[in-house]
Amino acid sequence: MHVNVVLNKTTSKDYSVIIDTLEKLVFETKVMIVTNTTVAALHLASLQTRIEAKEVHTLILPDGEMYKNFESLNLILNACFEHRLDRKSILIAFGGGVIGDMTGFAASIYQRGIDFIQIPTTLLAQVDASVGGKTGINNDYGKNLIGSFWQPRAVYCDSTFLKTLPKREFAAGVAEIIKMAVTFDKAFFEWLETHDLHEEANLKMAIHKSISIKADVVSQDETEQGIRAVLNYGHTFAHVIENQTHYTTYLHGEAVAIGIVMANALAYTLGLLTAIEAGRVRKLLEHYELPTHYAINHLETFYDAFFLDKKSANDTITFILAKGIGGNEMRHSIPKALVFEALGAFHA
Ligand code: NAD
Ligand code: GLY
């Protein structure tokens, strides 16, 4: 005997990403804004004037990737209990990708899941992290290894928040924009080669274009069974670099920039990308003063670390590679010798 439990194909609801000046947000429920010390000092007062709700609570966490952990998650959950948030309450993630990922994860597990809204304040979070519902925290074994897919109810991208962003943080966001252009949209890449994102109008255009690419990919593959993995271009390498440098040397987007150059070296070795194309990508990254080199001390150790990546299954590493500019290819089982050959230029 058996009983089939028939479920809807997806429980996620559609939502909008509003790319505009943030107007007043009105809620009939309790809300809790989750932010960090840096964003709170710069922008919290201005946000609070724009939120109207039954009760508005605020939790200010310490700032940094090293706090994207169980302790911070617990602080968010405890604050939810303390303020007696119920299943109709809403969390508002107000900050960069760290705050967004942690708040989303907390929302996904508090009372088996409540709504949350993303108000991203870094370029990286606006063009990538806030859209698509990947949430999570880091642990000793690596980045984002604990988490869930939990879509926000809405995302509000207001580029005026980005005016206070330090230069390096801005560039880190540009790395994710370049990532999307290289793997999905040749015309967008060529546009990026000729338009400086320090100009407000260009920046808005690039934010809109990047979010459109990401939304399209997520619509096709919410839980990363296929095409969504392409958004991890550069990340297999970046996660190892971040882990080896204890998340202190490079910003995530900076590590992604190096990872893109490493992935392109592998794509070149496999004949998927020409030297000229790889050079154009590197030049664009360098235009934004992003790092493009990392000295690998020990190739074996670097290679072994790939196996902790979420895209590694059954002891096989999946590499996300550019196929020309604007195209992509996922390759499994690339011989180790070829990977070593490609990474030779990075060997210290
Ligand atoms: P972050 O959240 O650490 O923010 C970077 C720094 O900028 C922090 O010090 C922050 O306090 C500060 N900051 C934020 N807004 C500011 C503002 N307006 N003015 C001045 N300073 C400001 O880092 P991030 O680059 O935004 O995000 C990286 C994180 O996002 C990583 O943990 C990464 O794993 C995650 N991520 C998630 C996804 C996803 O799909 N969920 C995608 C990409 C990255
Ligand atoms: N940043 C990768 C993804 O959202 O899938």
Side-chain angles (χ1 to χ4, degrees), residues 10-177:
T10 173
T11 53
S12 304
K13 294 185 190 131
D14 299 347
Y15 56 95
S16 299
V17 182
I18 295 101
I19 307 159
D20 212 341
T21 307
L22 181 67
E23 304 290 350
K24 204 164 191 84
L25 298 179
V26 181
F27 305 92
E28 285 172 359
T29 60
K30 294 185 187 184
V31 304
M32 185 169 85
I33 301 166
V34 181
T35 188
N36 71 24
T37 46
T38 308
V39 179
L42 292 164
H43 300 294
L44 182 59
S46 135
L47 178 71
Q48 280 166 331
T49 61
R50 288 180 267 179
I51 306 276
E52 203 177 291
K54 191 171 162 194
E55 288 175 23
V56 182
H57 300 283
T58 302
L59 175 68
I60 302 175
L61 295 169
D63 181 9
E65 183 77 43
M66 65 286 226
Y67 296 106
K68 188 178 169 181
N69 56 21
F70 268 115
E71 284 71 30
S72 299
L73 177 70
N74 211 22
L75 287 175
I76 302 174
L77 294 172
N78 282 342
C80 292
F81 288 114
E82 220 168 88
H83 299 305
R84 296 173 187 269
L85 298 196
D86 58 29
R87 301 206 63 212
K88 299 260 180 249
S89 303
I90 295 171
L91 298 187
I92 298 177
F94 185 51
V98 168
I99 286 294
D101 281 11
M102 286 196 298
T103 307
F105 188 34
S108 77
I109 57 176
Y110 180 70
Q111 297 197 0
R112 296 209 174 84
I114 62 169
D115 282 347
F116 84 113
I117 282 174
Q118 292 269 20
I119 306 183
T121 61
T122 64
L123 181 57
L124 185 142
Q126 293 201 355
V127 297
D128 191 352
S130 64
V131 179
K134 274 192 185 174
T135 80
I137 55 171
N138 308 328
N139 70 355
D140 291 344
Y141 293 89
K143 264 181 71 86
N144 301 329
L145 294 178
I146 300 162
S148 61
F149 286 99
W150 193 250
Q151 301 292 339
R153 292 301 315 122
V155 183
Y156 295 91
C157 294
D158 182 341
S159 62
T160 53
F161 289 126
L162 305 181
K163 290 190 192 311
T164 54
L165 212 53
K167 204 171 158 217
R168 272 182 72 194
E169 297 290 353
F170 181 86
V174 176
E176 302 277 10
I177 294 175

Side-chain angles (χ1 to χ4, degrees), residues 42-310:
L42 292 164
H43 300 294
L44 182 59
S46 135
L47 178 71
Q48 280 166 331
T49 61
R50 288 180 267 179
I51 306 276
E52 203 177 291
K54 191 171 162 194
E55 288 175 23
V56 182
H57 300 283
T58 302
L59 175 68
I60 302 175
L61 295 169
D63 181 9
E65 183 77 43
M66 65 286 226
Y67 296 106
K68 188 178 169 181
N69 56 21
F70 268 115
E71 284 71 30
S72 299
L73 177 70
N74 211 22
L75 287 175
I76 302 174
L77 294 172
N78 282 342
C80 292
F81 288 114
E82 220 168 88
H83 299 305
R84 296 173 187 269
L85 298 196
D86 58 29
R87 301 206 63 212
K88 299 260 180 249
S89 303
I90 295 171
L91 298 187
I92 298 177
F94 185 51
V98 168
I99 286 294
D101 281 11
M102 286 196 298
T103 307
F105 188 34
S108 77
I109 57 176
Y110 180 70
Q111 297 197 0
R112 296 209 174 84
I114 62 169
D115 282 347
F116 84 113
I117 282 174
Q118 292 269 20
I119 306 183
T121 61
T122 64
L123 181 57
L124 185 142
Q126 293 201 355
V127 297
D128 191 352
S130 64
V131 179
K134 274 192 185 174
T135 80
I137 55 171
N138 308 328
N139 70 355
D140 291 344
Y141 293 89
K143 264 181 71 86
N144 301 329
L145 294 178
I146 300 162
S148 61
F149 286 99
W150 193 250
Q151 301 292 339
R153 292 301 315 122
V155 183
Y156 295 91
C157 294
D158 182 341
S159 62
T160 53
F161 289 126
L162 305 181
K163 290 190 192 311
T164 54
L165 212 53
K167 204 171 158 217
R168 272 182 72 194
E169 297 290 353
F170 181 86
V174 176
E176 302 277 10
I177 294 175
I178 294 173
K179 166 193 88 174
M180 293 197 231
V182 175
T183 45
F184 287 107
D185 196 326
K186 186 176 180 187
F188 182 35
F189 183 84
E190 286 168 352
W191 181 88
L192 287 170
E193 288 183 303
T194 52
H195 292 77
D196 194 328
L197 299 184
H198 293 105
E199 276 181 37
E200 184 73 16
N202 293 339
L203 180 62
K204 279 190 184 160
M205 187 77 89
I207 291 173
H208 180 262
K209 187 74 202 166
S210 304
I211 293 173
S212 302
I213 293 172
K214 177 139 190 193
D216 183 44
V217 171
V218 172
S219 303
Q220 294 176 55
D221 177 24
E222 182 182 356
T223 57
E224 201 170 304
Q225 305 304 309
I227 187 80
R228 185 167 180 169
V230 174
L231 294 172
N232 297 320
Y233 167 55
H235 286 58
T236 303
F237 302 93
H239 287 169
V240 177
I241 294 167
E242 285 181 286
N243 200 266
Q244 287 195 343
T245 53
H246 312 287
Y247 305 105
T248 52
T249 310
Y250 300 104
L251 302 176
H252 174 67
E254 291 175 334
V256 168
I258 302 170
I260 287 173
V261 177
M262 287 180 172
N264 287 356
L266 185 54
Y268 169 73
T269 305
L270 296 167
L272 292 171
L273 204 63
T274 66
I276 290 175
E277 288 167 330
R280 282 169 66 192
V281 177
R282 179 193 279 264
K283 189 174 167 211
L284 190 55
L285 293 166
E286 284 172 353
H287 175 75
Y288 291 96
E289 294 176 33
L290 284 157
T292 52
H293 185 78
Y294 173 74
I296 300 173
N297 284 326
H298 194 247
L299 275 175
E300 284 284 351
T301 312
F302 196 85
Y303 185 83
D304 283 347
F306 288 142
F307 290 94
L308 263 183
D309 194 87
K310 291 189 291 310

